[in-house]
Amino acid sequence: MLQEAGSELPLKGSIQLPMQSLTNKLSQHILAKTRFLRQLQKLVTSCLPLDCHEHIQVTGIRENQLIILTDSPVWQTRLRLYSPTMIDAINQQDSLPMVNRVKIRLSPLQREIEKPAPEPRNLSDNSARIIAQTASAIDDTGLQAALYKLSQRSEQKKKKP
């Protein structure tokens, strides 16, 4: 890069101050937005039955519309029934913008899905017998012991006290 006579490149320290200020302002804006959304989420869920709470996420207010995400068309339809209640609750709050409509969009909500515990598998008596026969023909003692142990897990042996 060519430099004109008499001009200097900006010093590293002079860039850091405006960047820190910008970062500070962005952090404050994000925190304020987060507080606003929490307040809105709390207010909206207070208007709804408990079984609706885990199926909604308030995303904000845009152009006098409350925007809500839900995870299925069934909940979308059910939430529409509560639209007037949500609008009234928001409009009673002086600290919130006026709302005249609720827009409910479909989107899978981010939450942990509980996986059911796998059912224990049963080993048939015939399979247990074949595994034991295989174990008797193997020279490796570690593998042989593991196969014998596996063959002991048959249905018939579990039923015996």
Side-chain angles (χ1 to χ4, degrees):
M1 179 164 100
L2 294 175
Q3 188 175 0
E4 292 181 24
S7 68
E8 295 181 9
L9 294 175
L11 298 174
K12 192 174 185 179
S14 65
I15 293 174
Q16 287 179 344
L17 186 60
M19 287 302 290
Q20 287 174 348
S21 177
L22 179 62
T23 304
N24 230 357
K25 287 179 182 178
L26 283 174
S27 296
Q28 289 173 0
H29 176 72
I30 291 170
L31 286 172
K33 182 75 171 176
T34 303
R35 282 189 213 105
F36 172 74
L37 288 174
R38 277 192 193 144
Q39 176 189 7
L40 202 52
Q41 179 84 24
K42 189 175 180 181
L43 180 63
V44 169
T45 54
S46 71
C47 304
L48 302 172
L50 287 175
D51 59 341
C52 294
H53 292 194
E54 65 183 41
H55 298 280
I56 72 159
Q57 181 178 350
V58 176
T59 62
I61 296 175
R62 220 171 285 126
E63 298 173 3
N64 296 350
Q65 293 181 24
L66 171 66
I67 301 169
I68 295 176
L69 298 180
T70 189
D71 53 0
S72 79
V74 173
W75 288 106
Q76 188 178 31
T77 301
R78 187 163 176 200
L79 289 167
R80 278 194 190 109
L81 298 174
Y82 293 101
S83 291
T85 307
M86 290 185 272
I87 292 170
D88 290 343
I90 291 170
N91 288 340
Q92 288 175 3
Q93 300 294 317
D94 293 333
S95 61
L96 297 175
M98 293 294 289
V99 171
N100 56 25
R101 186 169 178 251
V102 177
K103 189 172 197 171
I104 304 166
R105 294 182 178 167
L106 287 176
S107 175
L109 299 177
Q110 300 294 324
R111 58 189 152 138
E112 258 185 59
I113 298 171
E114 292 181 24
K115 294 181 181 177
E119 292 185 28
R121 296 182 181 178
N122 295 321
L123 185 64
S124 71
D125 294 333
N126 188 42
S127 295
R129 185 179 49 75
I130 292 170
I131 291 172
Q133 286 176 351
T134 304
S136 66
I138 292 181
D139 294 333
D140 183 349
T141 56
L143 180 57
Q144 187 180 44
L147 288 173
Y148 276 130
K149 186 176 178 182
L150 178 62
S151 70
Q152 298 299 315
R153 295 183 179 183
S154 71
E155 292 173 1
Q156 187 176 27
K157 291 180 181 176
K158 284 186 177 182
K159 291 178 186 175
K160 291 182 180 179

